[in-house]
Amino acid sequence: MHVLLAPDGFTGTLTAKQAAAALAEGWRRGAPHDRITQVPLSDGGPGFVDALADNLGGEVVATVVEDPLGRPVPATVLVVERAGRRTAYVESAQACGLHLLAQDERDPTRTSTFGVGQLLAAALDVAPHRIVVGLGGSGTNDAGAGLLAALGAGPRARLGRGGLPLEVAEPADLAGLGAVADRLRDVDLVVAADVDSPLLGLHGTSAVFAAEKGASEEDAQRLENALGHFAAVVGRVRPPATDLLTGAPIRPERQPGAGAAGGLGYALLLVGGRPASGVEAVLDAVGFDDLVASADLVVTGEGSFDWRSLRGTVVVGVAEAAARVGVPAIVVAGRALVGRREAMSIGLSGVYAVAERPEQVAASFADPAGTLVARAERVARTWSPAAG
């Protein structure tokens, strides 16, 4: 049997590549006669560039940018040439990721995406035809104002100090916004987001994601107000385009993906970006449909298989790709908090947790690779005819 192992990273414990290796080791123990192919994946968040580099090759260009608190941090741009066209892949989490912050540093009222702007500038330096920016896993909630400051839209002192200072933003703070858009006009800018949330509202970035980045309920409400004010100022500086069919204004803050990475998607849409699913961008780039068609079973995975896993994630993308060609897909996760009915609704044939009981959670964090190997071994014996 040919088994395709295509996990995302297990957040906080294993990268996608490490997870794929652990799944492979366990599977070989349980079903040593099976043929295994490893394809680490990403939804646009942490591991985006590594997953693409592992599958596409290309040149990795090293640089140094600032983290969410302004400290230097290493980052990379992946440059891939195909048919005379150069694509630069950028992973925003390398500059604004939550993993870059200690627990007591997590405060989205003051963390900034300035470093992502620096990373985008580094991508522009390689003269690409296309730039794909992976969004996800951020520790920021600044509507991408920091990124805009780094590219020259306005002063860092006004735009690059986090989300909360945006509550006093003024049109003069965005005097260079048009110039930034002009700078990117000839580049196909793809916004590969891990979520399709808008910037504002009950389903927006502050309401849904600010708490996990360290915001209190009061902070989240103030951030919502600050980002709303910022979007209104942007609308005065750069009035929205008009929908030719309806005559209504096209408001970027309401677009799917605008709320990704704390509103970083919004800033990229402002300067000409076009939205895309992060996981679909990765699956397309690695030729995943062809890989699935040659497999007998697909195994995906992530740290926590929960309600958020049911929309726009690696697990969903893998399950849908497998369903299109009639190949069964299963997920092996650190924890499984979604029922069988919900799992079947996205095309999964099985869900397996490393930590099946609450008392097993500590062990899974203490030895994430070892416990994943052990679980994969048991799953292999269940699914592989060779194991019988």
Side-chain angles (χ1 to χ4, degrees):
M1 186 167 78
H2 179 202
V3 182
L4 179 63
L5 303 178
D8 196 354
F10 282 48
T11 304
T13 57
L14 299 171
T15 66
K17 189 172 185 177
Q18 291 168 335
L23 288 168
E25 181 179 343
W27 203 276
R28 291 191 184 100
R29 291 182 185 180
H33 299 291
D34 286 349
R35 181 163 63 94
I36 293 173
T37 299
Q38 299 178 48
V39 187
L41 297 174
S42 168
D43 60 6
F48 180 69
V49 164
D50 286 343
L52 289 166
D54 287 341
N55 290 286
L56 300 180
E59 178 187 2
V60 176
V61 178
T63 187
V64 175
V65 298
E66 294 185 17
D67 78 356
L69 294 177
R71 300 167 300 202
V73 64
T76 57
V77 176
L78 174 65
V79 183
V80 178
E81 296 213 27
R82 295 285 188 275
R85 290 185 61 82
R86 181 177 300 145
T87 298
Y89 293 95
V90 170
E91 179 184 317
S92 64
Q94 291 184 350
C96 71
L98 188 62
H99 67 282
L100 298 172
L101 301 169
Q103 193 68 38
D104 61 357
E105 293 176 333
R106 297 180 177 184
D107 180 1
T109 66
R110 65 190 184 100
T111 49
S112 172
T113 55
F114 190 86
V116 186
Q118 295 175 313
L119 192 50
L120 188 57
L124 285 168
D125 286 343
V126 305
H129 300 89
R130 181 173 66 141
I131 298 176
V132 182
V133 184
L135 304 186
S138 78
T140 54
N141 200 106
D142 72 345
L147 171 142
L148 296 175
L151 294 174
R156 179 175 188 173
R158 302 285 289 180
L159 302 179
R161 302 300 179 190
L164 199 55
L166 299 178
E167 62 187 355
V168 294
E170 299 175 357
D173 299 332
L174 290 161
L177 183 57
V180 174
D182 289 342
R183 182 180 178 187
L184 291 160
R185 189 179 304 280
D186 295 329
V187 179
D188 180 15
L189 181 62
V190 181
V191 186
D194 64 337
V195 298
D196 57 4
S197 304
L199 180 68
L200 305 169
L202 292 177
H203 301 289
T205 192
S206 301
V208 178
F209 302 109
E212 66 188 34
K213 302 173 186 184
S216 65
E217 289 186 13
E218 181 182 356
D219 288 338
Q221 184 57 59
R222 291 190 67 188
L223 285 167
E224 173 74 7
N225 293 337
L227 269 54
H229 173 75
F230 182 65
V233 171
V234 168
R236 295 201 297 272
V237 173
R238 195 171 178 83
T242 300
D243 188 305
L244 296 179
L245 292 178
T246 66
I250 302 173
R251 305 187 69 87
E253 66 269 22
R254 298 179 182 175
Q255 299 303 305
L264 190 54
Y266 169 71
L268 293 168
L269 293 175
L270 284 179
V271 295
R274 58 181 178 89
S277 160
V279 64
E280 290 298 332
V282 174
L283 295 179
D284 289 346
V286 305
F288 195 73
D289 283 350
D290 292 337
L291 293 170
V292 171
S294 69
D296 300 300
L297 175 69
V298 182
V299 182
T300 186
E302 63 178 347
S304 180
F305 181 58
D306 54 31
W307 65 270
R308 292 185 187 175
S309 306
L310 303 178
R311 193 170 181 180
T313 63
V314 165
V315 171
V316 170
V318 168
E320 290 178 346
R324 285 194 291 269
V325 292
V327 175
I330 62 174
V331 60
V332 181
R335 296 187 303 163
L337 305 175
V338 171
R340 179 177 298 180
R341 179 179 299 178
E342 290 84 358
M344 291 177 63
S345 73
I346 62 171
L348 289 171
S349 299
V351 178
Y352 302 90
V354 173
E356 297 179 285
R357 298 186 300 276
E359 62 269 22
Q360 295 176 325
V361 172
S364 69
F365 277 103
D367 183 14
T371 51
L372 181 56
V373 168
R375 191 63 172 118
E377 180 179 354
R378 298 197 301 275
V379 174
R381 289 173 178 161
T382 299
W383 279 88
S384 176

